[in-house]
Amino acid sequence: MNGGNRDLALWPIAASAGAHNTDHLVWAFTLVTLMLTVPIFVGFTIFSVIYRDGRPAHREYKEKKGRSEAIELSWMLIPFALTLAFFAWGARMFDIHRHPPANAITISAIGRQWMWKFQHPGGQAEINDLHVPTGQPVRITMISQDVIHALYLPALRIQMETLPGRYTELWFNADKPGTYRLYCSEYCGTDHSKMQGLLYVMKPGDYQAWLAHQGASQTLTAKGRQLFAANGCAGCHENGSTVRAPSLHGLFGQPVPMEAGGTVIADESYLRDKILDPDKNRIAGYKQLMPSFKGVLAEEDVVALVAYLRALGPKEEGASAEDAPDRSTATGDSTP
Amino acid sequence: MSPDGTATPPRQNLPATLRDPRPGRTTLGRPDDYLHAEHTLRSWLWTIDHKRIGILYLLSITFFFVFGAIAAGLIRLSLVVPDGQIFTNDTYNKLFTLHGVIMVWFFLIPSIPTTFGNFLLPIMIGAKEVAFPRLNRTSWYIFMAGALFTMADLVIGGVDTGWTFYAPFSTTFSNTYVLPALAGVIVVGFSSILTGLNFVVTVHTMRAPGMTWFRMPIFVWTMYAVSLIFLLATPVLTITLMLLVMERAFHIGVFDPALGGDPVLFEHMFWFYSHPAVYIMVLPGMGVISEIVPAFAQKKLFGYRFVAYASLGLASVTFLVWGHHMFVNGESETAAVAFSVLSFAVAVPSAVKVYNWTATIYKGSIKLDTPMLYAMAYIGLFVIGGLTGLFLATLSIDEHVHDTYFVVAHFHYIMVGGTALAFLGGLHYWWPKFTGRMYPEAWGRVSAFLGFIGFNATFFPQFLLGYMGMPRRYHNYPPEFQLLNVASSMGSLLLALGYLFPMIYLVWSLRYGKRASANPWLAKGLEWTTSSPPPAHNFDEQPVVDFEPYDYRDREARV
Ligand code: HEM
Ligand SMILES: [Cu+2]
Ligand SMILES: [Cu+2]
């Protein structure tokens, strides 16, 4: 692998600024925990030597009132306060990991027993391996077709469970080109340990060359657009339909009022639910006439449709959706 | 003093009934001791004596431990090579499931409560019996029925879900014998509930005159805390596993999204039980160590009340942190942050105990006999396990090491390094009381060392493996991880010796060991005031307690 003889390595390569940050956090935390525990180990050793039974030693010991309470409180609260700093550091990073920047490109991942399928915005698909550019935030939305998996990218110090029936996501901004590993880290049956591949982090130019070389026939949004027409979605949802159905332009990322009260943000999981199980979230002000496409559309098709709907701009510019796509425009606040 | 129990100094400050009944005199073979009261097999299998039931449990869990350990050995064997040539992937998956299910549910969870708890809890509070002796016997039968059934299923048929039974893999996708395994674990849960109930009522109603709450040994406090967790958490497990059964057997959609369920719901329900369950495993160990350390330092336990409260504190906060197993499943950010900070809070009462043990030996008269060596090993490993728990509770670190070997190392440090060592320490400490015989001291020390060294050799490399990114439950792993895996497997050989030796010499000592006096360690606590082994009804006269716990003042005066 990248960087000489990895057989003897005891520390993983960090391929992003975030990964370095995690490493720093770990080292700093290790240092503080050593401060808190070395006294225990040293104390135990020294005491068991000088106060060994039969050895003459000064053993006079009086309990002073209030002293032991003070000691107890101090060794409860001081370590707790010290470690809380690391809680805060970790939580801060976690917060960043939960909010992909608006300029992130979106790669979709589908997990199934026992392989990964990745699809780039341009439609290029790959199995088990994943190519990503440096210097560019990459957001991976994922879903499983069967059991729970998890996409784990150790060089980036990040992983996320891949659930059936619901999208999850992670994002990163790699900065060190190289070849690393990617794994499924959630146990998923017989060949769980073979559900692994390589993560190729490439300079942007190399990445573009790789994409071109893959030569996808069709971008993801174009495929979605086709499906949208072919499955009759357009018939209800575009102008001139006889059914009263909401327009889907500019829907992504917006709050949708529910029949049952309250609103739901139209994120990827919401769109998916609407397509596969339209009765689940009924929208206020519409009659639920939409048929379920469960069993009709494959998981890949749903991914393409969702990509298309995400890229659908506001009303009149609908036609431009096909051109918009590579950089997905309306990532907005899609955090679950 | 040597363990053969010579020269017990007088304890003038105690009432006559509480002085060592027959100082220095062996009591083995007195016709009415609980071992010799009756001899037939039936008298054992149909006993309602809590001490005999404790021994039955001791034999049972040792039996299960051996199976779990063999599976562990095979797992380590297979991981010597990276590409999984020794077993098929399916066999490997069945092996780690066998190992996990047996070790968690049939060894660690019942280990200390059902053996030492049954044997000692009534004696330590000066009672003749547990509150419901027949129910206690029933608990053992329920435990055996469930555990043997599941084990037969795991060994003959095999199950490949892992001990965590994550849905929808366990309900829809696995084609192994999941249902019988679930059934057995559910049944064993009832045994835990009944044992918990029995202990809670015993502690509330059966204490000897003068045995106030704050005169109870810490071991009793931890048994009480654990019993509360048994009562409150186990029913949740029962329900969760029942739902799995419904989905698997009758396709009632609860967890599988294809049937309209939610797999994250399973994670919540499972960990709502299983995080408290880790305190079922760890609190009793803390109780044992809190008995051993004062006895071998001949000094009062530092901060007795704090340690007692910390036990109850742990038993409560432990119900509020289950979400830390789910940081990377898309859990809401608010929930993740809350679970993270609460997990940091759990560490506080744990740390209290460790610091208090250290303070206890300050200015003591320390004897480094086998139980104390085990206790020291325990403290070392428990500290490492607890601190790495804090690393895991740190959100961004967990995003990296979740479901890797780092987690595997973490919980083995706590459960094997912690609980299993505390169990061995306690076993040596109370062995004279259980059997009336001393174990061979030199062998004991050697085993304690082997266990400690072997344990670290086995599990420390796994922290590195995990941080390097090796996921858990991996039969095929990249070649760059082989070196550390081989190191871990070699360490496990040493560790195995550390377990094997005690099994041999403890059995040997039943016949050839030195006879034990009533109080070979000059320890305080009611169990040391009755003969070794105790009479069938525990005490010749009803004890009356008018002294404080761990009252080593008469010994502390020595310079
Ligand atoms: C200081 C207290 C502790 C903290 C803060 C802590 C924290 C954690 C965290 C955050 C995890 C989840 C890691 C992950 O899956 O990514 C974990 C896993 C685990 N911990 Fe702890 N822990 C503590 C003590 C214990 C104790 C006392 C035990 C057992 C007696 C224990 C047993 C386990 C087990 C069995 C797992 C893994 C379960 C599995 O996934 O199979 N922990 N711990
Ligand atoms: Cu997997
Ligand atoms: Cu936990």
Side-chain angles (χ1 to χ4, degrees):
Chain A
M1 308 225 63
N2 187 65
N5 184 1
R6 300 292 300 156
D7 292 4
L8 295 175
L10 292 179
W11 200 260
I13 296 178
S16 69
H20 280 292
N21 201 349
T22 303
D23 287 355
H24 296 156
L25 169 55
V26 166
W27 281 117
F29 206 174
T30 308
L31 217 75
V32 167
T33 50
L34 283 178
M35 265 167 51
L36 295 175
T37 51
V38 167
I40 298 174
F41 297 141
V42 171
F44 244 89
T45 317
I46 293 185
F47 294 162
S48 51
V49 172
I50 59 179
Y51 299 120
R52 188 72 181 269
D53 188 42
R55 225 183 114 122
H58 182 73
R59 289 196 172 82
E60 192 103 33
Y61 181 81
K62 283 227 169 54
E63 272 187 41
K64 286 206 198 78
K65 207 150 179 57
R67 189 180 66 168
S68 92
E69 280 77 8
I71 297 180
E72 295 278 358
L73 285 178
S74 60
W75 68 41
M76 273 160 78
L77 299 180
I78 294 172
F80 183 57
L82 277 179
T83 52
L84 272 189
F86 295 91
F87 151 75
W89 185 345
R92 175 82 196 95
M93 285 180 68
F94 187 74
D95 181 55
I96 296 172
H97 293 166
R98 280 299 178 91
H99 296 101
N103 65 339
I105 56 168
T106 300
I107 295 179
S108 86
I110 295 180
R112 73 174 70 118
Q113 286 177 325
W114 290 276
M115 57 172 273
W116 292 105
K117 178 170 182 186
F118 298 100
Q119 272 188 292
H120 295 257
Q124 296 86 348
E126 43 184 337
I127 302 292
N128 287 344
D129 295 343
L130 173 62
H131 292 72
V132 295
T134 55
Q136 157 74 57
V138 175
R139 166 174 176 261
I140 301 184
T141 61
M142 54 189 113
I143 191 155
S144 161
Q145 287 189 351
D146 37 46
V147 303
I148 303 178
H149 304 275
L151 180 62
Y152 178 30
L153 310 169
L156 303 160
R157 312 284 188 271
I158 200 160
Q159 67 184 304
M160 179 51 81
E161 274 181 27
T162 311
L163 302 168
R166 174 185 315 180
Y167 291 103
T168 52
E169 64 176 21
L170 56 76
W171 79 273
F172 54 84
N173 189 347
D175 58 16
K176 192 177 160 77
T179 308
Y180 312 101
R181 298 200 183 269
L182 70 83
Y183 303 99
C184 171
S185 58
E186 182 64 59
Y187 175 69
C188 56
T190 306
D191 282 342
H192 164 59
S193 63
K194 289 192 170 156
M195 197 166 154
Q196 37 167 313
L198 295 176
L199 169 71
Y200 297 93
V201 176
M202 315 172 100
K203 296 209 182 75
D206 298 343
Y207 176 64
Q208 290 307 332
W210 178 82
L211 286 177
H213 183 70
Q214 295 297 301
S217 50
Q218 204 182 19
T219 68
L220 213 53
T221 41
K223 184 177 169 201
R225 185 190 172 80
Q226 222 171 51
L227 287 163
F228 196 72
N231 287 285
C233 317
C236 288
H237 284 286
E238 295 289 330
N239 292 339
S241 104
T242 49
V243 180
R244 199 173 149 293
S247 159
L248 303 179
H249 291 276
L251 169 65
F252 188 79
Q254 298 303 312
V256 182
M258 290 290 114
E259 193 180 275
T263 58
V264 169
I265 301 287
D267 59 9
E268 277 113 339
S269 286
Y270 169 80
L271 297 177
R272 181 181 186 280
D273 281 349
K274 208 68 228 180
I275 298 170
L276 297 181
D277 184 8
D279 293 337
K280 189 167 152 191
N281 298 310
R282 289 165 179 248
I283 308 171
Y286 288 91
K287 226 167 137 198
Q288 209 313 82
L289 298 171
M290 176 162 160
S292 163
F293 289 85
K294 193 174 190 159
V296 177
L297 292 170
E299 197 66 58
E300 269 102 343
D301 298 340
V302 180
V303 167
L305 268 173
V306 169
Y308 170 69
L309 293 180
R310 196 176 57 213
L312 256 188
K315 199 89 187 172
E316 253 52 66
E317 296 144 278
S320 72
E322 201 181 326
D323 326 339
D326 272 19
R327 305 283 140 118
S328 77
T329 42
T331 346
D333 180 10
S334 62
T335 326
Chain B
M1 196 205 71
S2 62
D4 55 41
T6 45
T8 305
R11 295 145 115 195
Q12 263 76 10
N13 52 343
L14 294 187
T17 46
L18 283 176
R19 290 189 196 129
D20 295 338
R22 280 160 285 259
R25 209 190 101 184
T26 163
T27 46
L28 187 76
R30 75 182 245 190
D32 61 338
D33 82 50
Y34 84 100
L35 286 173
H36 295 83
E38 285 179 278
H39 286 278
T40 58
L41 184 62
R42 187 175 181 285
S43 76
W44 277 95
L45 292 181
W46 210 239
T47 181
I48 53 168
D49 180 347
H50 64 96
K51 298 182 288 302
R52 285 189 165 208
I53 292 175
I55 299 296
L56 287 178
Y57 271 115
L58 179 63
L59 296 173
S60 326
I61 63 160
T62 308
F63 172 79
F64 292 117
F65 175 80
V66 169
F67 274 85
I70 291 173
L74 294 175
I75 292 172
R76 280 314 329 162
L77 171 69
S78 131
L79 290 178
V80 168
V81 291
D83 36 13
Q85 292 156 328
I86 298 180
F87 301 112
T88 63
N89 284 354
D90 277 327
T91 308
Y92 181 84
N93 296 344
K94 287 177 180 174
L95 276 174
F96 76 67
T97 304
L98 175 93
H99 170 69
V101 170
I102 290 187
M103 286 304 201
V104 169
W105 274 301
F106 310 149
F107 176 68
L108 281 169
I109 288 182
S111 62
I112 295 178
T114 61
T115 55
F116 306 163
N118 261 319
F119 196 105
L120 295 164
L121 178 108
I123 304 184
M124 283 180 160
I125 60 174
K128 287 199 173 93
E129 253 307 344
V130 289
F132 308 113
R134 282 184 185 74
L135 189 66
N136 204 12
R137 176 177 66 197
T138 312
S139 300
W140 182 72
Y141 275 99
I142 295 177
F143 171 74
M144 289 308 280
L148 285 174
F149 184 68
T150 295
M151 203 178 74
D153 174 44
L154 293 169
V155 172
I156 300 168
V159 175
D160 69 348
T161 59
W163 78 281
T164 44
F165 294 117
Y166 266 29
F169 180 72
S170 62
T171 56
T172 309
F173 290 87
S174 169
N175 39 34
T176 55
Y177 302 90
V178 181
L179 283 175
L182 291 175
V185 175
I186 291 172
V187 169
V188 168
F190 287 109
S191 158
S192 299
I193 295 172
L194 295 180
T195 302
L197 182 74
N198 218 335
F199 285 1
V200 169
V201 178
T202 305
V203 171
H204 273 277
T205 62
M206 312 274 288
R207 281 171 288 129
M211 177 57 86
T212 59
W213 283 82
F214 285 104
R215 283 180 179 164
M216 298 192 318
I218 292 296
F219 181 74
V220 177
W221 275 101
T222 58
M223 282 301 119
Y224 183 73
V226 161
S227 302
L228 292 180
I229 307 181
F230 272 143
L231 283 175
L232 296 174
T234 316
V236 179
L237 176 75
T238 312
I239 294 165
T240 312
L241 299 184
M242 292 286 231
L243 290 173
L244 280 186
V245 170
M246 308 254 234
E247 185 167 294
R248 188 169 170 93
F250 308 114
H251 305 287
I252 299 173
V254 184
F255 304 124
D256 185 350
L259 302 171
D262 181 355
V264 172
L265 178 66
F266 178 80
E267 296 184 19
H268 277 292
M269 295 183 74
F270 180 81
W271 290 113
F272 187 83
Y273 164 79
S274 290
H275 185 83
V278 307
Y279 281 89
I280 295 178
M281 302 178 223
V282 83
L283 272 167
M286 295 172 151
V288 169
I289 301 304
S290 302
E291 299 302 315
I292 295 180
V293 169
F296 288 85
Q298 294 285 305
K299 195 162 152 277
K300 188 175 171 185
L301 181 69
F302 187 88
Y304 165 83
R305 274 180 189 244
F306 276 88
V307 179
Y309 284 129
S311 304
L312 293 183
L314 279 175
S316 345
V317 236
T318 189
F319 280 97
L320 306 176
V321 300
W322 79 92
H324 66 210
H325 297 269
M326 303 164 58
F327 289 151
V328 301
N329 74 355
E331 176 172 77
S332 92
E333 195 177 337
T334 322
V337 169
F339 281 125
S340 172
V341 75
L342 284 167
S343 304
F344 274 72
V346 172
V348 174
S350 313
V352 165
K353 299 203 176 192
V354 174
Y355 286 117
N356 280 34
W357 294 322
T358 315
T360 299
I361 72 168
Y362 171 65
K363 297 203 165 184
S365 310
I366 300 160
K367 285 175 294 179
L368 296 181
D369 292 319
T370 308
M372 185 63 164
L373 292 182
Y374 273 116
M376 290 166 73
Y378 169 96
I379 292 171
L381 301 181
F382 181 78
V383 164
I384 298 176
L387 287 171
T388 50
L390 282 183
F391 281 61
L392 290 168
T394 309
L395 289 164
S396 67
I397 302 181
D398 190 62
E399 285 187 281
H400 174 40
V401 291
H402 172 75
D403 267 347
T404 65
Y405 265 82
F406 192 95
V407 172
V408 177
H410 155 71
F411 66 76
H412 280 89
Y413 263 81
I414 292 208
M415 305 201 302
V416 183
T419 309
L421 280 193
F423 180 75
L424 281 173
L427 194 59
H428 286 83
Y429 178 55
W430 284 300
W431 191 251
K433 191 55 63 185
F434 294 165
T435 66
R437 301 281 187 166
M438 299 304 299
Y439 60 87
E441 182 60 35
W443 281 98
R445 293 184 189 188
V446 169
S447 304
F449 264 107
L450 271 179
F452 181 71
I453 306 286
F455 180 86
N456 280 299
T458 309
F459 290 103
F460 196 82
Q462 298 186 2
F463 280 127
L464 298 173
L465 276 173
Y467 203 82
M468 300 260 298
M470 177 166 163
R472 64 195 280 212
R473 299 173 172 178
Y474 254 42
H475 189 215
N476 306 273
Y477 59 83
E480 64 263 28
F481 296 144
Q482 187 172 18
L483 194 71
L484 286 169
N485 270 299
V486 171
S488 174
S489 293
M490 297 205 316
S492 66
L493 290 177
L494 281 184
L495 184 57
L497 285 185
Y499 291 129
L500 198 62
F501 284 176
M503 284 189 202
I504 296 171
Y505 66 70
L506 287 179
V507 171
W508 174 90
S509 78
L510 288 178
R511 195 174 175 97
Y512 304 103
K514 266 198 236 112
R515 307 216 155 197
S517 69
N519 188 1
W521 315 115
L522 300 185
K524 301 289 154 111
L526 285 177
E527 80 268 33
W528 301 110
T529 64
T530 187
S531 54
S532 301
H537 288 289
N538 295 348
F539 300 97
D540 293 334
E541 297 157 59
Q542 171 65 53
V544 177
V545 184
D546 58 357
F547 55 94
E548 299 305 309
Y550 309 103
D551 187 3
Y552 287 96
R553 263 172 311 174
D554 52 336
R555 320 273 309 149
E556 279 162 18
R558 293 173 314 151
V559 172

